[in-house]
Amino acid sequence: MTTTAGSRAVRAARVEKARRPRAEALWGYAFIAPTGLGLAIFYLWPVLQTAYFSFTEWGAFGGHTWTGLDNYTRLLGDPEVGRAVLNTLTYTALGLVGIPLAIVFAALLNRPGLRGVSVYRTAFFLPVVTMPVAVAMLWRWLYNGDYGLVNQVLATVGIDGPNWIADPATAMYALVVVGIWSSIGYNLIIFLAGMQAIPKELYEAASLDGAGRVRQFFSITLPMLSPTAFFVSIVSVIGSLQLFDLVFVMTGSGQSARANPAYGRLQTVVQLFYERAFVTNDRGYAAAIVIALLVLIAGLTILQFRLQRRWVHYV
Amino acid sequence: MWKSARRGAALLCAPLLGAALLASACGGGEQAGSGAQSQEKVTLSYAVWDATQQSAMQELAAEFTRTHPNIAIDVQLTPWADYWTKLKAASSGGAAPDVFWMNGPNFQLYASNGVIKPIEEQVDTSVYPKALVDLYTYDGKLYGLPKDMDTVGVWYNKTLFDAAKVKYPSDDWTWADFKKAAAELTDPDKGVYAIGAELTSFQEYQYNTIYQAGGYVISPDGRKSGYDDPKTIEGLKFWTDLLAAKQSPDLKTMTDTAPLQLFEAGKLAMYWGGSWDVAEFTKNDYTKDKVDVAPLPKGEKQATIIHGVANVMSAKTEHPAEAWEFVKFLGSKPAADILGRKGPIPAYTGTQSAWVSAHPELKLQVFLDAVAYAVPYPVSKNTAAWQEAELTNLTKAWTGEVPIEKAAANLAAGMNDLLAKE
């Protein structure tokens, strides 16, 4: 068997070709290593540890004993867990109203020839860059039953407003309004970017065909925006399910929150986790609560991915 | 829930690594206080939470180092909001500060888990209020020396009393006198209530009336809840009656605007508050020339909750002898004298006059006289767990959703379950 110089060259080139992607891949890994390591050490490892601790009884100062599924059976029979899940899902569902609102505002801001666009955009985006605690404190004051601005405005038209965040009937809605108010700017910016990526030709063609503004919005803008809306809904649902800071500050921080008559309507899953882990020194159980939340989030996210086929149009 | 000495704490915090950094052969031995310390230089970390007392603590540290030149003290301030979380984490990791502040609700948790060290030496505890010594005794052993103390009194707005032509509270007033005054002071037209039946500070409200009524919160052995005792319920009813009579703002209003703020806005004629409120009321523009203080009214008996912070030692300190020397100094009369000039009431008997004379316009002696009939702050090994149950159950009685007898019974059942798990 003899090998010609030609075939050797071909083989060398082939080897080179095969090696290069591997070397490139190695460089790729090297570049993501800092982030990857950070994620592994500060996110993945604690998640695994938490999963482990959820099967233990863990006191205030470490030292855990394996208790098997005890925490999970307790979880299923705990009325506070059921209540917290219900509150969290209610908040998440009501919070989805923010998405169509963001689309409407984005469409209004996207109109050609609108003056002062940057002023509006800043105004909408400001709550996003404001500290959630500051936002919650501010709204706490606005919602105050006796001295709050909301009720003072209502009083001018003869309405005697309730104690918004202390009244079980209104507390959740009051909270959702703040949640939407503080996230609408973020969603709006993403929708604006999505709208500006829609090819202008589609609108030109549509107007040549005689479609009006409204028709264009429903037949072009909305379908073309659906991938963006899908992204936004995934992110909002995950964010809503993890709600904590807003409720923590608005209900009255720390343990005194439980003296709020509306607490039963406001307590979220993460808040319950906080109370078990850091107030009542019941950390193994707290770990089980967050693992359950993780499963709930994963489940809802998978469901959303399944449902996307029905309404998301990719170009 | 436990409010005293937590106000005004908001400053930077120093990391708890003092002790860990010090290489040490751990000399000293257990015979603390013999005066024969090794001449090796050591630094003790001392964790505190109140920014307003930081300078006093540093002065105490300097004074201690003057008499013990080989021991330096590193005062580490951690704001109240993070203090316990951080201390728990540091203790779990074996890096607790050598000496630190302890409070009643947390004490048994730390003592029962062996995180703090019992005091080995025989000390004369008669110089501290007995209730505070009891508070820091676990399983027959004393773990900490009381540093300061606080009791509760009735702060009242003289202007509102005058306007309603009600006589100022006397030193021997009773529940009946209180209720009569409450009815006269309430003026719905002006939006003035007699008092706010606060639910977020049992130390200043519910616990006091429970003991005044002859009830109890927790049995002396810490195994059983007192909330199903008819007398305890009587003590809770004191407040729900005021709510029902609309002599207190409802819970929703108090959730939106805390009773302290209402009192400082002239909407409440009385405010049950701790001795630590002196700083607040003498500084506030509205209250500074309108308030005075009276003892809590007498029910079946006289009672006030007493609480105070103690200095304790970490069980894992590398310098047990030096740590004990420091704790002993902090519990001494010279230390109490320094503290008394600066802030809270020192716990050491006979050193409180500086605190009283700081505000001659107020009858502050009331808080000291109350020590005679004071009851220790009720605690167990996991106090926080049943304190949560108190709020969960009593909130329903405060809103009127559930009658107080039923709410208290539910609370007792829940609390007994929690105590069984301790």
Side-chain angles (χ1 to χ4, degrees):
Chain A
M1 280 275 180
T2 53
T3 47
T4 63
S7 72
R8 205 179 295 146
V10 168
R11 198 191 296 159
R14 219 177 265 154
V15 170
E16 178 68 10
K17 218 180 200 172
R19 189 181 292 154
R20 204 183 297 141
R22 198 181 301 156
E24 270 176 22
L26 274 179
W27 274 112
Y29 287 125
F31 282 126
I32 63 164
T35 314
L37 271 179
L39 268 176
I41 295 171
F42 295 110
Y43 284 84
L44 210 53
W45 178 236
V47 169
L48 293 175
Q49 270 188 314
T50 305
Y52 170 74
F53 285 130
S54 73
F55 296 102
T56 67
E57 188 173 335
W58 183 16
F61 301 100
H64 47 272
T65 47
W66 185 265
T67 52
L69 287 171
D70 279 10
N71 286 331
Y72 288 97
T73 45
R74 180 177 158 202
L75 195 89
L76 293 174
D78 186 343
E80 285 209 1
V81 170
R83 190 176 78 177
V85 168
L86 187 68
N87 289 339
T88 309
L89 289 178
T90 310
Y91 176 84
T92 306
L94 290 174
L96 287 177
V97 176
I99 295 177
L101 269 181
I103 295 179
V104 169
F105 282 115
L108 291 176
L109 286 185
N110 198 32
R111 278 191 319 180
L114 180 69
R115 282 211 233 163
V117 173
S118 47
V119 175
Y120 291 123
R121 283 183 197 175
T122 313
F124 274 109
F125 202 68
L126 213 53
V128 181
V129 291
T130 311
M131 296 273 292
V133 172
V135 167
M137 290 293 286
L138 185 81
W139 279 93
R140 215 188 130 92
W141 277 110
L142 290 175
Y143 278 143
N144 186 301
D146 294 310
Y147 308 103
L149 189 64
V150 173
N151 280 358
Q152 283 183 6
V153 170
L154 288 178
T156 58
V157 290
I159 299 173
D160 187 15
N163 294 75
W164 294 94
I165 51 170
D167 191 327
T170 55
M172 177 55 83
Y173 301 105
L175 186 71
V176 169
V177 166
V178 183
I180 291 177
W181 178 81
S182 53
S183 67
I184 201 164
Y186 176 78
N187 296 344
L188 184 141
I189 293 289
I190 294 177
F191 280 125
L192 264 180
M195 283 176 186
Q196 283 164 359
I198 300 172
K200 296 276 170 296
E201 300 84 59
L202 293 179
Y203 293 105
E204 282 166 17
S207 45
L208 283 181
D209 288 345
R213 268 277 162 75
V214 177
R215 182 68 200 271
Q216 286 180 14
F217 177 78
F218 283 104
S219 300
I220 301 175
T221 312
L222 269 189
M224 296 294 280
L225 264 186
S226 59
T228 316
F230 177 62
F231 169 78
V232 169
S233 75
I234 295 272
V235 173
S236 327
V237 167
I238 294 178
S240 299
L241 290 172
Q242 295 180 335
L243 178 72
F244 173 69
D245 40 19
L246 211 55
V247 186
F248 185 73
V249 178
M250 279 180 63
T251 47
S253 40
Q255 219 178 3
S256 64
R258 281 189 179 252
N260 182 335
Y263 189 68
R265 299 289 174 89
L266 292 173
Q267 182 188 37
T268 63
V269 177
V270 180
Q271 195 163 23
L272 184 65
F273 155 77
Y274 168 83
E275 289 177 314
R276 292 296 156 266
F278 299 108
V279 180
T280 60
N281 303 311
D282 206 351
R283 296 185 177 184
Y285 187 51
I289 292 172
V290 275
I291 293 297
L293 179 65
L294 185 72
V295 171
L296 181 68
I297 291 177
L300 281 180
T301 309
I302 291 169
L303 185 71
Q304 280 180 286
F305 269 94
R306 285 273 163 79
L307 290 176
Q308 68 158 322
R309 272 176 236 138
R310 302 210 182 150
W311 64 280
V312 180
H313 307 272
Y314 290 100
V315 185
Chain B
M1 166 143 338
W2 172 75
K3 268 167 107 171
S4 51
R6 86 153 69 158
R7 299 247 170 85
L11 222 91
L12 69 153
C13 47
L16 298 163
L17 39 72
L21 286 178
L22 287 154
S24 151
C26 190
E30 292 289 304
Q31 287 130 310
S34 57
Q37 302 139 14
S38 66
Q39 284 311 297
E40 188 192 0
K41 285 234 180 250
V42 301
T43 302
L44 296 176
S45 48
Y46 179 35
V48 305
W49 67 70
D50 189 356
T52 60
Q53 290 186 50
Q54 196 184 15
S55 65
M57 292 304 116
Q58 261 146 3
E59 197 180 329
L60 287 170
E63 177 63 21
F64 179 72
T65 304
R66 201 173 59 76
T67 51
H68 298 74
N70 63 323
I71 309 173
I73 305 292
D74 177 21
V75 178
Q76 300 173 341
L77 178 76
T78 305
W80 171 262
D82 304 321
Y83 185 84
W84 298 104
T85 313
K86 196 168 160 184
L87 191 58
K88 257 181 229 167
S91 307
S92 309
D98 297 299
V99 178
F100 51 93
W101 283 10
M102 177 52 63
N103 72 356
N106 281 285
F107 164 66
Q108 291 196 4
L109 184 70
Y110 282 72
S112 65
N113 279 287
V115 177
I116 51 177
K117 210 171 122 47
I119 293 170
E120 312 277 347
E121 193 180 315
Q122 200 60 40
V123 276
D124 176 18
T125 52
S126 67
V127 295
Y128 311 111
K130 183 173 178 305
L132 289 185
V133 175
D134 291 347
L135 188 62
Y136 292 104
T137 302
Y138 176 74
D139 219 3
K141 288 186 193 141
L142 182 66
Y143 280 76
L145 292 188
K147 163 187 163 292
D148 56 40
M149 64 171 193
D150 47 68
T151 56
V152 182
V154 180
W155 293 92
Y156 61 94
N157 184 328
K158 290 186 281 188
T159 311
L160 292 180
F161 269 71
D162 292 343
K165 299 194 178 60
V166 178
K167 199 158 65 73
Y168 296 159
S170 65
D171 282 352
D172 57 354
W173 68 328
T174 62
W175 276 22
D177 298 330
F178 179 87
K179 286 173 183 172
K180 186 165 168 283
E184 289 166 2
L185 287 161
T186 304
D187 187 347
D189 296 339
K190 290 188 191 141
V192 171
Y193 295 90
I195 181 138
E198 190 162 349
L199 192 55
T200 50
S201 181
F202 281 50
Q203 181 183 0
E204 293 159 286
Y205 290 80
Q206 292 76 4
Y207 289 164
N208 295 291
T209 49
I210 286 172
Y211 287 102
Q212 283 159 10
Y216 65 103
V217 175
I218 186 168
S219 63
D221 62 358
R223 311 296 318 158
K224 198 187 156 295
S225 166
Y227 276 108
D228 46 6
D229 185 292
K231 292 193 168 172
T232 305
I233 295 170
E234 204 53 42
L236 293 172
K237 219 164 158 288
F238 181 91
W239 299 109
T240 49
D241 284 350
L242 286 164
L243 281 161
K246 299 203 185 310
Q247 289 161 8
S248 157
D250 63 12
L251 187 59
K252 283 183 203 162
T253 305
M254 291 189 287
T255 302
D256 273 352
T257 314
L260 180 70
Q261 289 165 330
L262 292 171
F263 182 69
E264 290 179 339
K267 300 287 178 194
L268 299 181
M270 291 177 281
Y271 177 83
W272 287 30
S275 45
W276 62 86
D277 281 318
V278 177
E280 176 71 27
F281 293 144
T282 51
K283 217 170 47 196
N284 183 284
D285 275 339
Y286 176 82
T287 51
K288 67 181 176 194
D289 49 8
K290 291 189 185 66
V291 299
D292 203 348
V293 65
L296 296 182
K298 182 171 178 261
E300 188 170 296
K301 48 181 147 176
Q302 265 191 312
T304 174
I305 295 296
I306 185 169
H307 181 266
V309 172
N311 291 298
V312 297
M313 294 171 280
S314 162
K316 294 205 178 122
T317 175
E318 292 182 9
H319 313 287
E322 289 83 354
W324 165 237
E325 274 307 310
F326 185 49
V327 167
K328 198 160 68 168
F329 165 76
L330 291 171
S332 70
K333 187 167 183 301
D337 283 329
I338 293 174
L339 187 68
R341 288 200 296 271
K342 295 259 183 170
I345 314 177
Y348 199 101
T349 309
T351 60
Q352 292 100 350
S353 57
W355 182 82
V356 174
S357 54
H359 292 286
E361 75 279 18
L362 299 171
K363 275 192 288 178
L364 295 183
Q365 185 63 31
V366 159
F367 292 109
L368 294 184
D369 293 344
V371 174
Y373 51 85
V375 182
Y377 189 98
V379 296
S380 76
K381 269 188 247 175
N382 199 1
T383 313
W386 51 265
Q387 285 188 340
E388 187 186 276
E390 288 176 335
L391 284 178
T392 308
N393 289 291
L394 294 184
T395 299
K396 297 196 186 96
W398 250 243
T399 56
E401 200 182 317
V402 172
I404 185 66
E405 291 80 7
K406 187 155 183 289
N410 291 344
L411 167 55
M415 184 169 160
N416 281 330
D417 284 349
L418 291 166
L419 291 174
K421 280 189 214 148
E422 281 185 354

